[in-house]
Amino acid sequence: ERRPQVLYDGDVGTFTSANSFAVSGNRLGFLARQEGGVAEDSSFVWVNIRTRVVKSGQFNVASPENSPSDPVAPDAEVHFAIAPDGTAALIGSDGQEQEVLLMRALPSSLGKPRELGSSSTGDIKLDSIAITRTTVSWSTTGGVRHTVPR
């Protein structure tokens, strides 16, 4: 039997949208945006299509009340890969500004993004992101492969 499931629900008085849908293993991932008032937030979300478990974590928080610990990652275009344990590796891009990020799977959510690499010249190939149990890797447009420990 198929039943509908809420994957992401925005706050009252905000406009919520979702994009960058892609399947990675047995998980469907996407970027959820919430806009309203003076705030604009993005969260990365995945749902396990077999178990229906959903995890999300804030990816970009743009608000006048931001604290220094709030994530502010480029989010105009996002590509990702999800490891078997649910940890996500992402490349966020706002044109030339790009960041490679890791969001660890926690018991009930995804952790804050941790920067693994960046570019201010737009030379990271967005579709090159990969994750294993121990490493995250990506390539540049010049063919250089970067691999770092998780």
Side-chain angles (χ1 to χ4, degrees):
E1 172 186 336
R2 296 196 181 249
R3 298 174 310 207
Q5 180 178 359
V6 174
L7 301 179
Y8 184 85
D9 194 14
D11 293 330
V12 173
T14 63
F15 173 75
T16 303
S17 62
N19 62 20
S20 300
F21 288 89
V23 174
S24 181
N26 62 350
R27 293 179 175 90
L28 170 67
F30 60 94
L31 192 67
R33 297 180 198 279
Q34 187 170 266
E35 300 174 49
V38 295
E40 182 179 318
D41 302 337
S42 296
S43 295
F44 179 72
V45 183
W46 62 248
V47 59
N48 184 311
I49 55 180
R50 291 190 186 134
T51 65
R52 299 171 60 119
V53 168
V54 178
K55 293 201 180 192
S56 67
Q58 285 190 316
F59 184 77
N60 182 318
V61 178
S63 166
E65 292 95 35
N66 272 17
S67 76
S69 65
D70 284 337
V72 180
D75 66 350
E77 188 172 359
V78 176
H79 289 252
F80 59 86
I82 304 169
D85 69 356
T87 296
L90 306 97
I91 298 175
S93 177
D94 280 342
Q96 297 290 34
E97 293 295 320
Q98 297 173 310
E99 288 186 25
V100 180
L101 304 157
L102 184 72
M103 295 179 76
R104 291 200 181 278
L106 303 175
S108 62
S109 66
L110 294 174
K112 286 187 177 185
R114 179 171 57 95
E115 184 180 316
L116 302 177
S118 65
S119 171
S120 60
T121 59
D123 66 346
I124 298 174
K125 289 177 62 176
L126 298 179
D127 63 354
S128 69
I129 190 76
I131 187 169
T132 69
R133 284 181 163 72
T134 58
T135 63
V136 174
S137 57
W138 66 94
S139 298
T140 66
T141 54
V144 177
R145 188 81 176 153
H146 296 269
T147 302
V148 297
R150 282 181 34 177

